[in-house]
């Protein structure tokens, strides 16, 4: 069991250099996503369907058998017929009598003009396009999930480094304050205020390390990506052509609905034709026993007939038209929401950047004031805690902005 599990892990691992970027991982998803396998299955299914539909009426041989017993005449009759497309052969056998047989051809002029298979082949072409759109959109969703996971990792990674560095700084401060306290130069509350922050940082660091390990497992099991000890590069995307990508967002959903509309229109076209045009057959037959030949014409037509297929398909087409109009308006609204989301994230980042810089300056001033004896060390620690919190929020805001630009690009590709 261990060997099997090890083999699965090795097969699912993708190796990179010491550093790996978001772009590299996105390419990995595009190449190794389960969506590729599902799409390949769908393509193979469509290929087989096309092959069968092109056969039309020549898809296999139809065999019919019938037995009849006439009690008054004490006759037992066997009848058989085999049909392949337009051709057929049939026979009849009575007990103690010679067999009768016929070979013939029966052509449906209605199907020669426009058959159900012709209509289905047209729809299959559009269905292939729909399958491709579904594949592309599903792959985009996979990539967006990866971007969000990558951002989550980078957020926690930054917070870990920041707090590890802060812990080192406090370690030095702790040694100084412990000596000062032993000499009676500072109060117990000043030392305690540092120790609370110090102990909290240790707990937070331990928790963040655990979170990072869990995220690595998600990378592996959801995307088959082994992060290991590799460093993930910063999330960075130039703010170029974002307007172009935003304009493209939603085009696939519109195209899909238009293809569904075309399929529905084709279905209606065939149903109308099928209901309006009568079945008209022309054929010829040779009697194998007497060598007689005959030519025949045959037609049939339903009258006063109401077809539920037409009602259902017409209703389906109306729904598609409604959804198409709604989707177009929805997409325009989404474009404005995306632009608003971008400017909101940009604003939040710039505000937090300024606040973090200000809080850092305040922290440096508080340290000086403490050394001059103007304030207690408790106030220094309060400013220090605020600074750390703002640094983390600033980094998260930066990653949110950059990852949001990536998501816009993915959606608009």
């Amino acid at each position: 069991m261990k060997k099997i599990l090890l083999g699965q892990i090795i097969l699912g691992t993708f190796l990179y250099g010491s550093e790996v970027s978001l772009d590299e991982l996105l390419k990995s998803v595009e190449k190794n996503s389960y969506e590729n396998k599902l799409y390949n299955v769908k393509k193979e299914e469509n290929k087989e369907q096309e092959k069968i539909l092109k056969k039309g009426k020549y898809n296999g041989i139809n065999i019919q058998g019938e037995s009849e017993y006439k009690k008054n005449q004490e006759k037992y009759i066997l009848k058989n017929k085999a049909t392949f497309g337009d051709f057929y052969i049939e026979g009849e056998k009575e007990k103690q009598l010679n067999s009768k047989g016929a070979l013939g051809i029966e052509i449906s002029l209605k199907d020669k003009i426009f058959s159900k298979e012709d209509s289905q082949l047209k729809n299959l072409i559009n269905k292939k396009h729909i399958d491709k759109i579904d594949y592309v959109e599903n792959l985009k969703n996979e990539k967006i999930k990866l971007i969000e996971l990558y951002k989550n990792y980078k957020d926690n990674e930054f917070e870990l480094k920041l707090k590890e560095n802060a812990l080192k700084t406090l370690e030095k401060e702790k040694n100084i304050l412990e000596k000062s306290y032993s000499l009676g130069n500072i109060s117990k509350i000043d030392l305690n205020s540092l120790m609370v922050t110090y102990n909290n940082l240790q707990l937070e660091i331990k928790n963040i390390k655990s979170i990072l390990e869990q995220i690595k497992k998600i990378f592996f099991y959801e995307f088959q990506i082994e992060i290991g000890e590799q460093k993930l590069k910063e999330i960075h995307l130039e703010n170029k052509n974002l307007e172009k990508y935003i304009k493209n967002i939603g085009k696939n959903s519109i195209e899909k609905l238009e293809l569904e509309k075309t399929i529905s229109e084709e279905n209606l076209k065939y149903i109308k034709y099928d209901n309006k045009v009568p079945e008209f057959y022309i054929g010829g037959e040779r009697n194998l026993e007497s060598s007689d030949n005959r030519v025949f014409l045959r037609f049939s037509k339903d009258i006063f007939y109401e077809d539920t297929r037409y009602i259902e398909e017409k209703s389906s087409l109306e729904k598609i038209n409604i959804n198409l109009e709604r989707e177009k308006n929805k997409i325009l609204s989404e474009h404005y929401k995306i632009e608003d989301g971008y400017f909101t994230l940009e604003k939040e980042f710039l505000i937090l950047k300024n606040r973090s810089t200000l809080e850092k300056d305040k922290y440096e001033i508080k340290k000086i004031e403490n050394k001059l004896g103007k304030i207690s060390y408790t106030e220094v620690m309060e400013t220090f805690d605020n600074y750390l919190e703002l640094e983390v929020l600033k980094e998260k805001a930066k990653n949110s902005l950059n990852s949001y630009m990536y998501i816009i690009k993915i959606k608009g590709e």
Side-chain angles (χ1 to χ4, degrees), residues 235-291:
I235 304 171
H236 180 70
L237 183 69
E238 292 292 336
N239 183 2
K240 292 180 180 178
N241 298 321
L242 276 186
E243 287 185 7
K244 181 191 77 173
Y245 290 119
I246 291 172
K247 286 179 182 177
N248 285 336
I249 291 173
K251 279 190 175 181
N252 280 346
S253 62
I254 295 296
E255 185 181 353
K256 181 180 176 179
L257 282 169
E258 287 175 343
L259 288 167
E260 288 175 354
K261 179 181 177 180
T262 303
I263 289 173
S264 184
E265 287 172 341
E266 177 62 30
N267 289 337
L268 274 177
K269 178 183 174 183
Y270 177 74
I271 291 169
K272 285 180 181 177
Y273 173 81
D274 189 38
N275 289 336
K276 186 176 182 180
V277 178
E279 294 284 358
F280 197 86
Y281 296 93
I282 183 170
E285 183 179 276
R286 181 178 178 82
N287 189 304
L288 298 177
E289 184 182 18
S290 64
S291 297

Side-chain angles (χ1 to χ4, degrees), residues 18 22 34 45 71 76 99 109 126 149 184 197 200 218 225 240-241 249 296 305-306 313 326 339 346 410:
S18 59
L22 178 54
Y34 287 116
E45 177 190 328
K71 186 176 181 181
Y76 189 78
S99 300
L109 296 180
N126 290 318
L149 188 65
T197 300
N200 285 344
I218 297 172
I225 295 172
K240 292 180 180 178
N241 298 321
I249 291 173
F296 61 87
Y305 172 72
E306 294 181 290
E313 198 60 53
R326 178 170 63 180
E339 288 179 357
E346 186 180 46
I410 295 298

Side-chain angles (χ1 to χ4, degrees), residues 262-385:
T262 303
I263 289 173
S264 184
E265 287 172 341
E266 177 62 30
N267 289 337
L268 274 177
K269 178 183 174 183
Y270 177 74
I271 291 169
K272 285 180 181 177
Y273 173 81
D274 189 38
N275 289 336
K276 186 176 182 180
V277 178
E279 294 284 358
F280 197 86
Y281 296 93
I282 183 170
E285 183 179 276
R286 181 178 178 82
N287 189 304
L288 298 177
E289 184 182 18
S290 64
S291 297
D292 289 339
N293 297 317
R294 74 183 182 100
V295 176
F296 61 87
L297 296 173
R298 181 167 63 86
F299 83 95
S300 66
K301 177 74 173 74
D302 293 323
I303 58 175
F304 310 119
Y305 172 72
E306 294 181 290
D307 194 346
T308 57
R309 294 179 304 164
Y310 180 79
I311 296 168
E312 290 171 358
E313 198 60 53
K314 186 180 178 182
S315 175
S316 176
L317 180 58
E318 288 175 358
K319 289 175 185 176
I320 290 170
N321 282 324
I322 292 169
N323 285 330
L324 189 56
E325 183 181 354
R326 178 170 63 180
E327 190 67 16
K328 287 177 180 178
N329 289 327
K330 180 183 172 184
I331 287 168
L332 288 173
S333 174
E334 186 181 356
H335 290 174
Y336 290 116
K337 287 178 182 178
I338 289 170
E339 288 179 357
D340 179 63
Y342 171 77
F343 291 123
T344 299
L345 289 172
E346 186 180 46
K347 180 186 73 175
E348 287 177 358
F349 168 63
L350 292 174
I351 290 171
L352 285 167
K353 184 179 178 182
N354 292 333
R355 285 182 62 195
S356 175
T357 302
L358 178 63
E359 201 66 27
K360 185 179 180 182
D361 292 339
K362 284 171 65 177
Y363 168 62
E364 296 298 333
I365 292 168
K366 293 288 183 183
K367 283 201 298 183
I368 295 170
E369 289 179 342
N370 174 256
K371 287 179 181 179
L372 295 174
K374 292 182 178 180
I375 60 171
S376 68
Y377 203 80
T378 303
E379 291 184 55
V380 177
M381 283 291 88
E382 286 175 356
T383 311
F384 181 74
D385 289 340

Side-chain angles (χ1 to χ4, degrees), residues 64-68 76-81 91-93:
Q64 296 178 12
E66 180 185 343
S67 63
E68 181 182 359
Y76 189 78
I77 304 170
L78 290 173
K79 296 179 181 179
N80 295 289
K81 184 177 182 180
E92 183 179 309
K93 171 69 177 175

Side-chain angles (χ1 to χ4, degrees), residues 137-151:
E137 289 302 306
N138 289 338
L139 196 57
K140 284 181 180 180
N141 291 334
E142 286 286 303
K143 289 180 178 180
I144 290 169
K145 287 180 184 177
L146 177 70
I147 292 168
E148 290 169 346
L149 188 65
Y150 194 101
K151 175 198 170 296

